[in-house]
């Protein structure tokens, strides 16, 4: 199977799809991570601060280290088996 990032932004009644994480984060208020793919594991706090309007991150797979995300509103919660 071919891996393809699925990035979408919901703005009122409009859904937009993106190929790059940076573009999807741009001017966003919240990012919800729902996958364990390496592309997301590599994200750093500054990428959220630099690109988002309000850096709020919900890590639903607990793939990011909460101690490295102390300058933004960061929540790690587990969904699924682990």
């Amino acid at each position: 199977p071919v891996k393809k990032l699925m990035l979408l932004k919901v703005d009122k009644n409009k859904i937009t799809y993106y190929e790059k994480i940076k573009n999807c984060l741009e001017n966003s208020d919240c990012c919800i991570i729902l996958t364990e793919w390496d592309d997301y594991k590599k994200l750093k706090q500054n990428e959220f601060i630099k690109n988002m309007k309000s850096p709020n991150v919900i890590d639903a797979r607990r793939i990011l280290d909460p101690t490295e995300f102390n300058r933004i509103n960061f929540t790690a919660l587990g969904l699924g088996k682990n």
Side-chain angles (χ1 to χ4, degrees):
V2 175
K3 179 185 94 168
K4 182 171 174 144
L5 289 177
M6 184 173 160
L7 305 161
L8 61 94
K9 186 186 290 187
V10 179
D11 185 17
K12 298 184 183 174
N13 295 328
K14 180 181 173 188
I15 298 175
T16 307
Y17 291 89
Y18 294 89
E19 291 185 23
K20 295 184 179 181
I21 295 172
K22 176 185 173 183
N23 294 347
C24 190
L25 291 176
E26 202 167 84
N27 293 316
S28 295
D29 291 309
C30 184
C31 172
I32 303 172
I33 299 172
L34 298 170
T35 183
E36 302 160 352
W37 288 353
D38 289 338
D39 302 81
Y40 297 99
K41 290 179 182 179
K42 296 174 187 173
L43 290 170
K44 301 296 180 199
Q45 176 173 240
N46 283 340
E47 293 174 82
F48 295 105
I49 293 170
K50 180 178 167 184
N51 294 302
M52 295 179 74
K53 182 170 42 172
S54 328
N56 297 288
V57 177
I58 299 170
D59 179 5
R61 301 302 298 166
R62 289 192 228 163
I63 60 168
L64 302 174
D65 181 356
T67 62
E68 294 181 15
F69 288 81
N70 57 2
R71 294 180 17 225
I72 64 174
N73 186 12
F74 178 83
T75 303
L77 53 102
L79 298 177
K81 295 179 183 178
N82 296 340

